[in-house]
Amino acid sequence: EVQLVESGGGLGHPGGSLRLSCAASGSTFSSYVMSWVRQAPGKGLEWVSVIHSGGGSTSYADSVKGRFTISRDNAKNTLYLQMNSLTPEDTAVYYCAIPSAGYYSGTYYAQDFRSWGQGTQVTVSS
């Protein structure tokens, strides 16, 4: 089973940017649809974005559309999330995850994922 390790979290400022990475173990990363999910303090899990295994198709939650960009480098077994125009509402633990049912253009829910990383904390504050 693939193991996922997120990095790149930390303190961001309103209007600023952060870039998250998710390193995957194993040789099958390029066959997986990958996603980012977040959990804000005291709230449930929120799906953020998904990318097809080849990287050609992406989808975003309305809350991040136009501000966040998901991408992947299959040669490096790494998933990315470029976060721009940060707001305090983006404060959360961010997880990379593998959807059980693959790629589709729609909202994912917590039960839709079969593998998770340990998460990286993003705090947006002035």
Side-chain angles (χ1 to χ4, degrees):
E1 182 68 9
V2 65
Q3 291 189 326
L4 306 171
V5 179
E6 301 93 338
S7 61
L11 177 63
H13 299 293
S17 299
L18 284 173
R19 189 193 197 201
L20 306 183
S21 299
C22 170
S25 65
S27 60
T28 57
F29 175 76
S30 61
S31 67
Y32 291 122
V33 172
M34 296 296 299
S35 193
W36 288 98
V37 183
R38 67 185 182 183
Q39 186 167 26
K43 296 188 177 181
L45 288 165
E46 178 190 20
W47 167 73
V48 173
S49 184
V50 64
I51 186 168
H52 197 273
S53 56
S57 297
T58 59
S59 183
Y60 299 90
D62 287 343
S63 58
V64 306
K65 196 174 296 182
R67 300 188 300 121
F68 289 11
T69 302
I70 190 171
S71 62
R72 65 192 298 160
D73 186 337
N74 285 343
K76 295 182 178 179
N77 280 10
T78 304
L79 175 74
Y80 302 101
L81 186 68
Q82 178 67 43
M83 305 187 297
N84 298 332
S85 302
L86 289 167
T87 74
E89 287 69 39
D90 295 319
T91 295
V93 178
Y94 284 72
Y95 301 90
C96 59
I98 300 175
S100 300
Y103 180 92
Y104 56 88
S105 295
T107 301
Y108 290 76
Y109 300 93
Q111 65 267 26
D112 295 330
F113 300 95
R114 62 180 178 89
S115 294
W116 300 78
Q118 85 290 347
T120 186
Q121 175 70 49
V122 170
T123 302
V124 181
S125 174
S126 55

